[in-house]
Amino acid sequence: LARALPSYQRVTRVLLSGEPLPRTRLGKLRRWEIAARLERENQAPVESDTAETDTDELLEFTRAWLKLPHTPRDSDSLEIDLGLDSLSRLEFLSAFERRFGLSLSESAAATAVSLGDLRPWLERAADGSGESVGSKPRTIKSLDQIADPGRGLFGRALRAFGWLVLRVFSRVLFRAEIQGLENLPDPPYILAPNHVSYLDWVVLYGMLPRRIAREVYSVGVTDILDRFPLSALCYHGRVIKTGTLATTALSLERSQLVLERGKPLIMFPEGKRSLDSRTDTPKRGLGLLAVRTGAAVVPVYIHGAWRSMSRAHPALRPVKISLEVMPPLDAALSERDLGRHWHTLMQERDPLD
């Protein structure tokens, strides 16, 4: 079931209890006692099979790369037992390729569930057939192949026309306003808005000044952008696709190149629309890009958009939408602290109803 779901919907951990969970007299779970028990159990060393020890290259590589206190087993799930999310999973598989001289196809990488699933690839590498594993080798396109670098007149004209249409659309239908543009630093920087509605990018892009809109790149979810007619606009719209196991690492690499070229980037740190009007916890990509490139992170709060084309309100409604551009986050913050600070600022502005 997990293979058919996006990574953020998958179960990431399963713990089995050999005795009944503590409950109150009314039968309700004593959650704090359960949490305390789990914390105690997590501190205990995990025993592994003695048959799979130091002589096994795959298990030793996994233990060393993930800095595990114990030797893992073939049956260990990459997500549940080893705790890999979509980004760290890709980093792990990339390191696996480099270590054993393999080149995995997108389908092969996406269907690996446990460490044991990696073992047949090692056998192919050993007999010389492991140069490309899977039904279709990966073909990696450069940034300029998937996003218009801005050298052509047609692309510039199309983006100018699109920006004008979205600006009029946002002004007329949503009475959109934007405040705090004076907080924008010199590029490169990452515009990091909350994400509650399909309108978020539309209104943000339309309300940016023309001088910024003509330079900005955006990161968008493949599930939406692969549908016509949006799929035909991604190149000239300078949209970098992400959202699947095969595209996450590439989208980060391309986004990093955008920032290194001194361009602004629109990136939704949550990676998806929130289930309600509350801001979800950001993914690792925001802090990772900021630390790698030194680009400023500019939080942007979109007020009111959750009442139209959101999960809670899927219909298109002419609601009032305003955008608040905040000062850049402290550049000295660590990768994790950048995400936490951004999340705190968003939560302070989340509506109560």
Side-chain angles (χ1 to χ4, degrees), residues 21-30 33:
L21 298 176
R23 296 178 180 269
T24 66
R25 289 182 298 174
L26 298 178
K28 296 182 179 181
L29 292 173
R30 296 180 180 269
E33 288 188 14

Side-chain angles (χ1 to χ4, degrees), residues 53-266:
T53 54
D54 298 346
T55 57
D56 192 295
E57 283 188 302
L58 172 60
L59 302 183
E60 270 304 291
F61 160 76
T62 304
R63 183 193 63 77
W65 198 87
L66 296 178
K67 297 181 174 60
L68 300 175
H70 60 280
T71 302
R73 296 171 288 188
D74 271 14
S75 59
D76 283 352
S77 164
L78 299 179
E79 296 179 354
I80 295 176
D81 298 306
L82 301 182
L84 301 179
D85 58 20
S86 57
L87 179 56
S88 55
R89 173 192 172 102
L90 281 167
E91 292 174 339
F92 172 74
L93 290 178
S94 296
F96 172 77
E97 287 179 316
R98 294 192 299 271
R99 169 63 178 80
F100 296 103
L102 292 165
S103 178
L104 310 180
S105 69
E106 294 176 357
S107 59
T111 54
V113 175
S114 67
L115 276 179
D117 293 335
L118 304 181
R119 211 165 277 287
W121 302 345
L122 293 180
E123 296 173 359
R124 293 196 180 193
D127 62 19
S129 61
E131 291 183 1
S132 179
V133 182
S135 58
K136 185 178 181 181
R138 285 180 290 182
T139 55
I140 300 177
K141 296 182 178 180
S142 68
L143 172 64
D144 291 348
Q145 288 177 303
I146 61 102
D148 187 354
R151 302 187 186 101
L153 178 61
F154 176 77
R156 294 198 299 270
L158 184 62
R159 280 192 297 277
F161 177 74
W163 169 81
L164 182 60
V165 170
L166 294 181
R167 191 172 187 86
V168 172
F169 176 77
S170 301
R171 290 280 196 186
V172 173
L173 194 59
F174 304 111
R175 294 163 288 151
E177 297 177 351
I178 187 168
Q179 299 177 342
L181 288 174
E182 67 277 5
N183 291 322
L184 291 176
D186 293 330
Y189 53 81
I190 304 171
L191 289 170
N194 58 318
H195 195 16
V196 292
S197 167
Y198 283 132
L199 297 170
D200 293 336
W201 181 88
V202 171
V203 177
L204 175 57
Y205 185 83
M207 296 308 298
L208 286 174
R210 175 70 191 120
R211 59 181 174 81
I212 298 176
R214 67 187 179 193
E215 298 291 331
V216 74
Y217 285 71
S218 305
V219 179
V221 179
T222 300
D223 289 347
I224 301 172
L225 297 172
D226 275 348
R227 304 171 188 171
F228 186 83
L230 296 179
S231 57
L233 301 175
C234 286
Y235 175 75
H236 291 298
R238 289 180 167 176
V239 178
I240 300 170
K241 297 179 184 179
T242 189
T244 67
L245 180 67
T247 58
T248 300
L250 284 176
S251 68
L252 283 173
E253 292 177 10
R254 290 162 176 162
S255 298
Q256 180 174 338
L257 185 55
V258 167
L259 297 171
E260 289 174 348
R261 290 181 179 181
K263 303 292 186 180
L265 177 74
I266 297 175

